[in-house]
């Protein structure tokens, strides 16, 4: 809808501004998240709004286990811890008394 021939000039301008903003923000401390969000949007437009990968929500543990079994990377059951339990002591402050 927005990438129509009559709106191309405006869209090119908007996306050029997004690229420049991403470059400027990416140079600041902590600005990479916004930079890459803008870059993802620019890449979507270049790819005619078709996502690079399927967008899915978080996987359940069961889905992860099935996927790992299918790929042959199942490590088996988790072994019990070795050695005696760690005694962290009383963490109420102070030192030895």
């Amino acid at each position: 809808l927005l990438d129509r021939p009559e709106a191309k000039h405006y869209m090119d301008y908007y996306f050029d501004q997004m690229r420049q903003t991403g470059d400027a923000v990416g140079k600041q401390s902590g600005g990479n998240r916004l930079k890459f969000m803008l870059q993802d949007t620019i890449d979507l437009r270049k790819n005619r709004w078709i996502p690079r990968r399927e967008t899915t929500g978080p996987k359940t543990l069961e889905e992860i286990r099935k996927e790992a079994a299918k790929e042959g990377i199942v490590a088996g059951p988790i072994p019990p811890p070795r050695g005696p339990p760690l005694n962290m002591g009383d963490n109420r402050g102070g030192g030895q008394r």
Side-chain angles (χ1 to χ4, degrees), residues 7 13 28-29:
Y13 174 77
Q28 299 173 1
S29 176

Side-chain angles (χ1 to χ4, degrees), residues 8-76:
K8 184 178 181 342
H9 174 74
Y10 294 107
M11 292 300 290
D12 289 345
Y13 174 77
Y14 297 144
F15 276 81
D16 187 50
Q17 291 296 310
M18 287 172 61
R19 184 188 54 74
Q20 290 178 20
T21 301
D23 290 343
V25 169
K27 293 176 184 175
Q28 299 173 1
S29 176
N32 282 337
R33 181 174 179 164
L34 178 59
K35 174 185 175 179
F36 289 116
M37 288 173 73
L38 291 170
Q39 187 61 48
D40 286 345
T41 306
I42 292 167
D43 290 345
L44 266 174
R45 182 176 184 233
K46 282 183 185 175
N47 198 23
R48 301 178 152 259
W49 301 103
I50 299 171
R52 288 187 299 158
R53 58 187 174 272
E54 183 180 315
T55 56
T56 59
K59 295 180 182 179
T60 64
L61 286 176
E62 186 61 31
E63 291 172 328
I64 292 170
R65 288 183 183 119
K66 285 180 182 178
E67 198 173 284
K70 189 187 306 180
E71 294 176 9
I73 55 173
V74 177

